[in-house]
Amino acid sequence: MQALTGPLVSSANAETIRESLGLAYSNNPTLNAARAALRGVDENVPQALSGWRPTVTAAGSAGRLATGTDSNIDYRNNASISLTISQTLFRGFRTVNSTRQAEAVVRAQRESLMSTEQDTLLDAATAYVDVIRDTALVSLQRSDLAFLQEQVRAARDRFDVGEGTRTDVSQAEARAAEARASLNTSLANLNTSRAIYRQVIGIEANSLSADTGISRYVPKSIEHALQESEAHQPLVRQAAHLVDAALFNIKAIEGELLPTVTLDGSLSRSWKPSATTDYSDNAQIFGNVSIPLYQSGQVSSRVRQAKEELGQTRLQLDVTRDQVRANVISAWGNYQAAEASIVAAQAAVEAQQLALEGVIEEQRVGQRTTLDVLDAQRELVTQQSNLVTAQRNRIVGGYQLVAAIGRLDADSLGLNVARYNPKQHYQAVRDKWIGLRTPDGR
């Protein structure tokens, strides 16, 4: 079954779920915030690469000097400027490993963004179907209220001609009041669903199409679903990249135990450095080697700490794999149960509809009471509501299953939107040596 049926069918020109998912992909603030977070993480790579680059410092000073004794003081102006350049030649492979660590963190953050994209699209699909469900439930409650109001009128007419009792009228009126309260509750639920839709997708929910077409994306078997999740679930890939980052972090810290070699040069000029000299120039270049011998145990402790963190990330990778597997199995079970519930609910609705018609006919010939009709109507509304809920659960369960295997993204769904390319910003900033503006001009 590809679409919600019965009271959930919408007009042909309604907004489709794919259009709503596309709006959420483009406009959802949570997803856009995750993209901004990734762009911030991208900057860790040029920061790590700065270890290869020189530092240049300029300095200047100016003042007035007084020299001599109290009886013979000599005043003269003095000024100087200098330019210093320092280039690191070797720093214990810390630049290499820090860069690799930063790149691994960027890859992990990309997978985190993909996970956020899936969560956003799942929230959007859920909000979309919830609006359709609650709209259908409101329609059911209105039909039920209209039916019960007709029963009240009929009971009063029978009472007026002496064929019914005051009890029949009171029972019908009580059920009509109950239906009116249920309608108000359904309207409140619909308003809540519309508000969530507006929050997630960014526009008001007006006319929505009941055709969801989720079946084409659902795996054909549980084995296929588990294989898909192992290959495509972003949470697993994120955890794997964090293991790489932790490994490079150890190597970067260990590099602090190795020598550091720098090449330093400077140029300077001073005016009136002494009473007999107008100016003097100075230039120098020299190499420095710093060999750490003992660092009060701090670096050693940090290395041990980093190794424990590596062990933690490896264990977390196993935990994530197990969680993903459990999520896939659970989502598969929920989806299969929802499909079975729809079949059962459809059969119950058909049977109860026939039962209500039979009770009404029997009431006309005096074999059934008004209460029997009211009970049959209540049971029919309950079964119709169960069908609507089962149809909603099947669609949402399908999207949950697709998200669990890692396929609920714009590319897999073929959404007609401009794709966000996370590599574009990364490539724009990776090798930047200077500049305060972001690639988009800020």
Side-chain angles (χ1 to χ4, degrees), residues 260-368:
T260 300
V261 180
T262 62
L263 181 66
D264 302 312
S266 64
L267 294 172
S268 64
R269 167 169 283 195
S270 297
W271 287 271
K272 291 295 184 178
S274 66
T276 59
T277 306
D278 291 335
Y279 67 90
S280 68
D281 294 326
N282 183 48
Q284 57 182 358
I285 183 170
F286 50 89
N288 290 321
V289 178
S290 174
I291 303 176
L293 299 179
Y294 181 68
Q295 298 154 314
S296 67
Q298 183 195 53
V299 176
S300 300
S301 175
R302 288 169 54 212
V303 170
R304 296 193 303 270
Q305 183 183 50
K307 289 180 179 179
E308 294 296 344
E309 291 172 352
L310 173 61
Q312 177 190 3
T313 56
R314 284 173 171 165
L315 292 172
Q316 188 59 47
L317 174 58
D318 294 336
V319 170
T320 302
R321 286 194 177 115
D322 292 340
Q323 288 177 340
V324 168
R325 179 180 177 85
N327 291 340
V328 171
I329 294 174
S330 176
W332 177 266
N334 292 337
Y335 181 74
Q336 296 297 317
E339 285 195 321
S341 297
I342 290 176
V343 175
Q346 286 174 332
V349 168
E350 293 173 0
Q352 190 57 40
Q353 184 68 52
L354 292 175
L356 174 61
E357 294 172 357
V359 170
I360 292 175
E361 291 298 326
E362 292 172 359
Q363 182 203 28
R364 291 172 179 171
V365 298
Q367 296 180 350
R368 292 281 188 167

Side-chain angles (χ1 to χ4, degrees), residues 81-96:
I81 59 172
S82 64
L83 182 68
T84 302
I85 301 177
S86 179
Q87 173 64 60
T88 300
L89 302 179
F90 179 76
R91 53 193 304 265
F93 306 106
R94 280 179 284 169
T95 299
V96 173

